[in-house]
Amino acid sequence: MNAPDDVGSIFTLYIGGFKMSNLLLQKYKDYIRLKNCRAEYKLSNGMAIDFVYREENFIHLIGLHKLKDVQLIQLLNDKSNKKVHAKYIISRIKKGMFTDAMVKASTFYYDIESRYDSFSYDNLTTLTYTDAVINFNPRLINSKIKSIYLLFEEKINNEYNHLGIAEDSNTNIRYIETFFHQTSDMYIKGQTITKVESFNLYTPDNQIIVSDSF
């Protein structure tokens, strides 16, 4: 599948020229405040989980790759397509050519609704994650995620927020792979779990922005 000459024109027609509030753009602006910042979670077993916020991770974190009926996402998921990648989609978000209204119009929006609604600067940076799964084993639940750590917090009604941390096998740099809400304990049941003791957030030049502990 080839990218249209101007993918953005598809979305301009879709919104019909009406000015609409764009929550997707606001979520991106919240996230980009963390670009190249480093987060560090210290655990009760003496381990530390740290990772860097990368701009290109935004698309997967918020779940846009799951909107399979959106042409731009189809192009992103097409491995043979070399033009449409995460930064290309981000450029469309910044220009108002990929909007909140379009996300919510997708028939697959239900699959990402809880993740999308919960995605915020506060949820990414505050010490709400009380526990961590160490060496996450995806085979226990036939999961495809690549995360080696899952930070999580239990919400009401035995529901959970998860932050998945993966590691690049070439650079050994850790990054946020996924952020999601789960209505059961399926991602933590039978896994190795330890408590989170503290959280620090650092600027790219290693100055502390946030420091918190239980």
Side-chain angles (χ1 to χ4, degrees):
M1 184 182 294
N2 294 321
D5 292 336
D6 184 1
V7 178
S9 63
I10 299 168
F11 301 124
T12 302
L13 289 173
Y14 180 90
I15 61 177
F18 291 101
K19 185 176 181 179
M20 304 174 70
S21 60
N22 191 354
L23 185 61
L24 176 59
L25 179 58
Q26 185 56 55
K27 289 177 181 293
Y28 167 75
K29 288 181 176 179
D30 281 350
Y31 180 76
I32 206 62
R33 293 167 60 189
L34 297 169
K35 182 178 179 180
N36 295 328
C37 290
R38 181 173 63 88
E40 180 185 65
Y41 289 85
K42 291 186 177 179
L43 310 179
S44 61
N45 65 356
M47 292 180 62
I49 301 173
D50 67 337
F51 54 87
V52 175
Y53 294 93
R54 301 296 189 194
E55 182 179 19
E56 57 269 27
N57 297 144
F58 174 75
I59 302 301
H60 278 261
L61 278 180
I62 204 165
L64 298 183
H65 62 293
K66 292 182 176 290
L67 305 181
K68 295 179 287 186
D69 57 347
V70 176
Q71 185 179 9
L72 192 60
I73 302 304
Q74 292 172 355
L75 294 169
L76 172 70
N77 292 334
D78 181 1
K79 302 301 183 184
S80 66
N81 187 284
K82 304 302 182 184
K83 179 179 179 181
V84 177
H85 41 71
K87 289 188 176 181
Y88 183 92
I89 294 179
I90 287 170
S91 73
R92 289 302 188 246
I93 293 172
K94 291 161 69 175
K95 293 176 181 178
M97 293 178 171
F98 190 14
T99 67
D100 176 70
M102 293 157 53
V103 169
K104 292 177 178 175
S106 169
T107 57
F108 294 95
Y109 175 65
Y110 178 79
D111 294 339
I112 71 166
E113 183 174 8
S114 61
R115 181 196 308 202
Y116 189 83
D117 287 345
S118 301
F119 193 93
S120 69
Y121 180 86
D122 286 344
N123 279 342
L124 290 170
T125 61
T126 55
L127 183 56
T128 57
Y129 299 104
T130 57
D131 299 82
V133 172
I134 307 299
N135 296 322
F136 174 70
N137 183 356
R139 293 189 297 274
L140 294 182
I141 55 171
N142 197 28
S143 171
K144 294 181 180 180
I145 68 173
K146 300 176 182 178
S147 297
I148 55 175
Y149 303 110
L150 279 183
L151 295 162
F152 68 90
E153 61 171 335
E154 185 173 359
K155 308 295 285 185
I156 59 174
N157 300 324
N158 295 316
E159 298 183 359
Y160 299 83
N161 284 339
H162 295 279
L163 189 70
I165 312 302
E167 186 174 285
D168 188 309
S169 59
N170 294 320
T171 64
N172 295 323
I173 294 176
R174 294 172 186 160
Y175 61 94
I176 306 178
E177 179 197 18
T178 185
F179 167 78
F180 61 97
H181 180 80
Q182 179 64 37
T183 56
S184 72
D185 65 352
M186 64 178 290
Y187 280 86
I188 62 177
K189 188 175 182 179
Q191 304 282 351
T192 301
I193 297 171
T194 189
K195 288 289 184 182
V196 173
E197 290 192 336
S198 66
F199 167 73
N200 289 321
L201 180 65
Y202 300 89
T203 63
D205 60 355
N206 220 34
Q207 302 298 309
I208 291 180
I209 304 172
V210 177
S211 184
D212 201 358
S213 61
F214 285 110

